Amino acid sequence: MVTCKVSKMASKFQAVSLKDYEAEARKYLSADGLMFYASGSDGEETLRDNLEAARRYRLRPRVLINVSSVDTSSTILGHPINFPVCVSPSAWHRFAHIDAELTTAKGASEAGVAMAMSSVSSTPSIHLTSSYPNGLFFMQAYLLNSNELQKAMLRDLKENGFKAVVLSVDNVVTSNRRKQFSPSMMEKLHSKKMRLINYLQTEEMRQAEARGGQSYLQAFNHQAHGAPPASLAYIQFVKEASDLPVIVKGILTGKAARLAVENGADAVWISNHGGRQLDFTPSTLDVLSEVVNAVQGSNAEIYIDSAFRTGTDVFKALAMGANAVFIGRPVLWGLAVSGSNGVRDVLEILRDELKLCMTLCGCPNVKAISKKHVISENSYLAAKL
C-alpha cells in the first residue's frame, strides 16, 4: 500500500521559507517516500555541492534606480509566466499526495508558471491538460529503446495541450542510488497504484503489465534505462514525432549545449538530475556561464535546476544567463504538507524572495537582471562598482 500522510492541519501551516516546508514534509512523508525524494547517487557528493553552489557567488546591487514598481513576469518558449520559476519533472508524486501530479498541476497553474510532467507518473498525461486547460505544461520523455513506444507516447501531446517535450538525456542507465530501493520501496513500486500509466502505449508494455508489477517495472527499465542507442539525431526524431519544441535536459558542458542546439534543440536545460545520476559532476550553477557562452548567438533558451532554495539563488541564475529556474524537491515538500496550496505557496515564496532581491539590486523587471549583478566569491573583493 502507498501511504501519503497529508496533515489535516496543513491549511494552518505557515511557512517563511522553503526550509520550513522541507522540515514539515519530513513529518508527513512515509520513510520510503522521503528516501526516494531526498536521496542522491553514490556518496551524494553532487547532491551536497548543489546546495553549496549559490554561496560561491555574491550580488552586486545597483542603487539610485527607480524600483517603486517591480515586475517578475517573464516568458518561456514564448508563453507568459508570472515569474521565471517553474516545476521540474519528478517521479511518483503519489508518495506525497493521493492525487499526485494532478494536485501539483493545480498549484503550478494557480501560481501561473510552467510544469514539466514526468513520464514516470501514476497520472495519465491527458488528465493534467484536461483538468487545467489554462495551465502551461511540458512533457518529459526518456530516450527509449523502442521507437514505436516513443512515437506512441509523443503522438498526441500537442493535440492534448502540451507545449513542449523535455528530453532527458543524462540517464541512459540508472545510477547507483544506495539509499533508495529498499525491499518495502520495491513492493510499493510494483503495486497497481504506482504503475507507470503513460507507458501503456504498446502491446508489449500492456502484456508486461498483465504479468504483474515487477514484470512491468523491468520492462520500463529496459526501455528507459537499458542504455538505448542514443545520438544527436534523436532530438530531431522527437521533434518530428511530437511536432513540439524540444528542450534537452541533462546538459553539463558548453559543447553538449552547442551540439544540442545545432541539432534542433529549442532550449537546453542544465541539470545534474538533482545529484541523482553521475556523482561528482559539477553543480549546475558552476557550469551556467560556460553553457551561456557556448550557445550565444542562437535563439535557444537556457534553463537550470538542482538545489535552488531561495529567490536570491534564482536571481543569481538569471543574472548569469538562465531564462528560467526549475525546482523539484521543494515542490514535493509543499505537495506533502498542503497539497496544491503547498505547491503554490512554495512557488510564491520564491517569487516574493526574487522580487525583494530584484528591488534591492535595482532591477525593475526581469530583463534588467544581468551579469553585472553577480560575481564569483573568489573575485568579489576586488570588484569595482
Side-chain angles (χ1 to χ4, degrees), residues 217-361:
L217 197 58
Q218 288 174 346
F220 160 74
N221 284 329
H222 170 70
Q223 286 295 335
H225 306 305
S231 72
L232 288 162
Y234 207 90
I235 299 171
Q236 195 61 41
F237 166 75
V238 171
K239 290 190 78 166
E240 292 174 358
S242 65
D243 193 26
L244 287 170
V246 172
I247 304 162
V248 175
K249 179 178 181 290
I251 296 294
L252 283 175
T253 67
K255 182 176 181 180
R258 184 174 63 253
L259 288 172
V261 171
E262 289 173 351
N263 285 272
D266 298 278
V268 292
W269 186 327
I270 304 170
S271 176
N272 55 38
H273 222 89
R276 291 165 68 83
Q277 274 299 104
L278 180 63
D279 205 10
F280 283 98
T281 56
S283 74
T284 55
L285 205 57
D286 285 337
V287 301
L288 175 53
S289 295
E290 177 186 339
V291 170
V292 169
N293 291 336
V295 301
Q296 192 171 14
S298 72
N299 294 321
E301 295 187 346
I302 299 170
Y303 313 139
I304 190 169
D305 68 19
S306 297
F308 289 85
R309 296 295 186 265
T310 69
T312 304
D313 296 348
V314 173
F315 182 94
K316 291 174 184 178
L318 298 176
M320 294 167 67
N323 296 99
V325 170
F326 281 75
I327 60 170
R329 290 182 177 96
V331 168
L332 298 169
W333 307 149
L335 180 66
V337 173
S338 299
S340 62
N341 290 338
V343 172
R344 186 187 65 242
D345 194 33
V346 161
L347 290 163
E348 291 182 348
I349 285 172
L350 290 177
R351 178 203 61 192
D352 293 346
E353 291 177 349
L354 172 61
K355 185 174 182 178
L356 177 61
C357 188
M358 290 170 64
T359 303
L360 293 175
C361 284

Side-chain angles (χ1 to χ4, degrees), residues 88-108:
S88 290
S90 51
W92 281 304
H93 288 204
R94 189 156 287 172
F95 278 124
H97 195 282
I98 191 63
D99 291 323
E101 290 80 10
L102 270 180
T103 306
T104 310
K106 184 175 188 290

Side-chain angles (χ1 to χ4, degrees), residues 2-5 29 37 91-101 121-124 192-195 332 335:
V2 177
T3 59
C4 44
K5 299 176 284 186
L29 287 165
Y37 291 153
W92 281 304
H93 288 204
R94 189 156 287 172
F95 278 124
H97 195 282
I98 191 63
D99 291 323
E101 290 80 10
S121 71
S122 304
T123 303
K192 286 284 186 180
K193 288 185 178 180
M194 300 295 280
R195 67 178 184 164
L332 298 169
L335 180 66

Side-chain angles (χ1 to χ4, degrees), residues 86-157:
C86 301
V87 178
S88 290
S90 51
W92 281 304
H93 288 204
R94 189 156 287 172
F95 278 124
H97 195 282
I98 191 63
D99 291 323
E101 290 80 10
L102 270 180
T103 306
T104 310
K106 184 175 188 290
S109 298
E110 290 175 349
V113 300
M115 173 184 171
M117 181 186 189
S118 173
S119 59
V120 183
S121 71
S122 304
T123 303
S125 58
I126 191 174
H127 286 188
L128 264 68
T129 51
S130 60
S131 298
Y132 305 103
N134 295 324
L136 178 57
F137 300 111
F138 304 157
M139 188 69 195
Q140 179 267 342
Y142 291 109
L143 302 165
L144 298 182
N145 271 299
S146 168
N147 286 349
E148 178 191 3
L149 178 59
Q150 187 68 281
K151 287 180 179 178
M153 293 181 67
L154 297 172
R155 185 171 49 236
D156 298 325
L157 290 179

